[in-house]
Amino acid sequence: MAAAQGRFSDGADGTDSAKESSVPLPFRRAVDGLKKARLRPGIEIDPVKPPQRLAPHAYALEAAVVDGEEDLADGRLILLHDPAGHDAWQGTFRLVTLVRAELEPEMAVDPLLPEVCWSWLKGALDARGLTYGEASGTVTMAASHYFGGLGERRPATQIEIRASWTPREGGGGVPDTSAHLAAWCELLCQIAGLPPVGPTEAVTGVVSLPQRRGPHHPQG
């Protein structure tokens, strides 16, 4: 299981020392934390090209909860960094996410489901004792009904969580990105329909960002 090479939004990818030296040390350490995260089984994760205009520095991952050849849920997590700080963030780092999955019919009719899904994110962060601020987001459900040549397909409902939060910085001005990634993956597993686990139960070994299978990519 080879370690994947991440890509920095300013072009530094760890292969050019001159470019890498232009990346702030706290951001590099925060990215290293992502690469050392301990995750539960069934998650495939891969670094992808980050957005260019959200912050001076960015690093992005996409992941899927996989059962055989089927993706039960997928998502994207973006780490943003502005060394000068950002008024809206109330900090120098920000985590931004998109998570989505197709719902079972009995879940799709639950009027409390959006509130429950939002509580999963906060619960996953709180379970690891993480401090964070300025959390905000949306939970959206979209129903699809099929007609004509697609009429044999059963109706489907997809749920999508878009959220962002400011991870509180620790020593050296670096947040515990490893724990934040583990919490995010727990959210991904819960929206996929897997039962939650505690932080210690989720640890099975260090994950070095293995390559995801298949061509499916979440839309940002």
Side-chain angles (χ1 to χ4, degrees):
M1 187 179 294
Q5 290 294 323
R7 290 189 286 266
F8 294 95
S9 62
D10 60 1
D13 61 3
T15 60
D16 186 320
S17 59
K19 290 182 180 179
E20 187 175 0
S21 65
S22 69
V23 178
L25 182 58
F27 180 65
R28 279 186 278 157
R29 288 179 173 173
V31 171
D32 286 343
L34 292 174
K35 295 178 180 179
K36 296 175 182 177
R38 296 171 179 263
L39 309 179
R40 63 187 283 180
I43 297 174
E44 296 189 351
I45 193 165
D46 187 28
V48 294
K49 186 175 180 179
Q52 302 292 309
R53 298 178 181 177
L54 296 181
H57 307 280
Y59 185 86
L61 299 169
E62 64 179 24
V65 179
V66 177
D67 180 15
E69 295 298 320
E70 181 183 6
D71 286 4
L72 303 179
D74 59 34
R76 179 173 296 168
L77 183 69
I78 304 169
L79 175 68
L80 304 176
H81 180 54
D82 186 341
H86 195 294
D87 290 342
W89 302 351
Q90 295 297 303
T92 63
F93 284 92
R94 188 75 169 170
L95 286 163
V96 180
T97 185
L98 162 67
V99 172
R100 65 187 184 182
E102 187 171 317
L103 295 175
E104 293 296 327
E106 58 271 19
M107 292 183 65
V109 298
D110 186 346
L112 297 179
L113 186 61
E115 288 82 359
V116 170
C117 289
W118 183 253
S119 73
W120 286 343
L121 171 60
K122 299 184 68 176
L125 294 168
D126 294 342
R128 286 164 174 76
L130 293 168
T131 55
Y132 58 95
E134 310 305 316
S136 61
T138 62
V139 178
T140 304
M141 291 190 293
S144 298
H145 297 265
Y146 301 94
F147 302 94
L150 300 177
E152 294 183 357
R153 294 188 184 182
R154 68 173 187 172
T157 302
Q158 186 179 75
I159 191 162
E160 178 182 278
I161 302 173
R162 293 179 181 266
S164 62
W165 65 96
T166 297
R168 294 307 181 205
E169 298 158 18
V174 182
D176 187 352
T177 51
S178 178
H180 280 273
L181 175 57
W184 177 74
C185 287
E186 183 60 33
L187 168 66
L188 197 64
C189 288
Q190 286 191 272
I191 199 174
L194 303 183
V197 299
T200 55
E201 296 175 88
V203 175
T204 59
V206 176
V207 176
S208 298
L209 303 183
Q211 296 292 317
R212 241 186 95 184
R213 289 199 301 268
H216 180 67
H217 297 284
Q219 296 173 353

